[in-house]
Amino acid sequence: MKFKLLIIFISSTLLIGAGKEPTINEKGDAESGKKLVATCAACHGEDGNSLAGIWPSLAGQNYKYLLKQLRLVKSGEREIVEMVGQLDNLSDQDLKDISAFYSDQKNKIGQVKIDKLELGKKLYYSGNLDKGVPACTACHSPRGLGNAPAAYPLLSGQQPDYVAKALRDYRSGERLNEDPSKIMISIAYKLDDNEIEALSSFVHGLH
């Protein structure tokens, strides 16, 4: 009986511990990250809200997604010409701190182009059954907040030019490193240019 109670106690303790917030070392320190992003501002803005459409906004982005992408870029598995060498001298803790800083910022929401609204909304919330395109809400949530535990990115307010480029890169297979990019490739290759433009504009104003 005592042995069974001990097992129950240990199991309960592990479950409780599993639900705790990560320590700063595990999750990253936003204040430390703020000191590391000075050179990032030229493309991504001082607070992570990009001013140029081709550069992604990082403000408010899900921490796990940011960290995963920074690690992929640093390792060379995800190739971004403009990022070559930018992360070479940073430790993994630095990448965590940078991710923590940007994830703590507030993302700015843009506006949907009127002529893109109807198609973008339909694709985002309902997909296209005839073409086998699933609704974006399944992974990115109805408000475009993504799925933080699964490291699926926030899309709300994202720059439309960047989203369009990402979808075209997925469609062509140029952007391929590891899941979930394989999932996105299987979806994006079914989208035509008009659908990509509509979706990109729609998420820019989604909130």
Side-chain angles (χ1 to χ4, degrees):
M1 183 65 179
K2 288 182 179 180
F3 181 72
K4 289 183 178 179
L5 289 173
L6 179 62
I7 293 296
I8 293 172
F9 174 76
I10 292 173
S11 300
S12 300
T13 303
L14 289 173
L15 287 172
I16 292 171
K20 290 181 179 178
E21 279 294 310
T23 65
I24 287 179
N25 186 57
E26 292 171 324
K27 187 175 181 182
D29 178 18
E31 283 302 311
S32 297
K34 185 177 182 179
K35 301 172 184 176
L36 296 168
V37 298
T39 58
C40 309
C43 295
H44 301 291
E46 290 187 6
D47 62 350
N49 282 291
S50 171
L51 299 178
I54 195 62
W55 308 120
S57 287
L58 304 181
Q61 186 56 268
N62 295 324
Y63 170 82
K64 285 181 68 175
Y65 176 78
L66 278 173
L67 180 57
K68 180 179 180 180
Q69 297 308 310
L70 287 174
R71 285 171 170 168
L72 287 172
V73 170
K74 183 178 180 180
S75 71
E77 189 171 347
R78 180 178 173 187
E79 297 181 5
I80 303 176
V81 174
E82 296 79 7
M83 288 292 294
V84 173
Q86 296 291 328
L87 306 178
D88 288 355
N89 296 322
L90 299 179
S91 67
D92 196 62
Q93 185 61 49
D94 290 333
L95 302 186
K96 292 178 182 178
D97 294 344
I98 290 172
S99 300
F101 169 74
Y102 283 128
S103 66
D104 277 359
Q105 306 309 302
K106 184 173 179 58
N107 62 315
K108 294 179 181 177
I109 310 302
Q111 289 186 322
V112 186
K113 291 182 179 179
I114 297 300
D115 62 330
K116 307 293 183 184
L117 177 59
E118 184 177 352
L119 178 57
K121 183 177 182 180
K122 178 181 180 296
L123 287 168
Y124 192 86
Y125 289 111
S126 303
N128 185 330
L129 293 179
D130 293 337
K131 297 173 70 173
V133 176
C136 306
T137 55
C139 293
H140 298 286
S141 90
R143 294 174 55 202
L145 302 180
N147 184 326
Y152 293 159
L154 166 126
L155 296 180
S156 172
Q158 188 56 267
Q159 292 286 1
D161 290 346
Y162 173 74
V163 176
K165 181 181 185 304
L167 288 173
R168 291 191 183 103
D169 286 347
Y170 281 130
R171 186 175 65 182
S172 68
E174 183 177 340
R175 182 168 172 177
L176 172 62
N177 37 69
E178 60 175 46
D179 289 329
S181 66
K182 293 176 182 177
I183 298 173
M184 285 304 304
I185 285 174
S186 69
I187 296 170
Y189 91 94
K190 301 173 185 176
L191 299 172
D192 59 37
D193 286 342
N194 189 44
E195 290 170 324
I196 285 177
E197 293 297 331
L199 267 176
S200 302
S201 180
F202 182 73
V203 298
H204 185 51
L206 179 63
H207 62 282

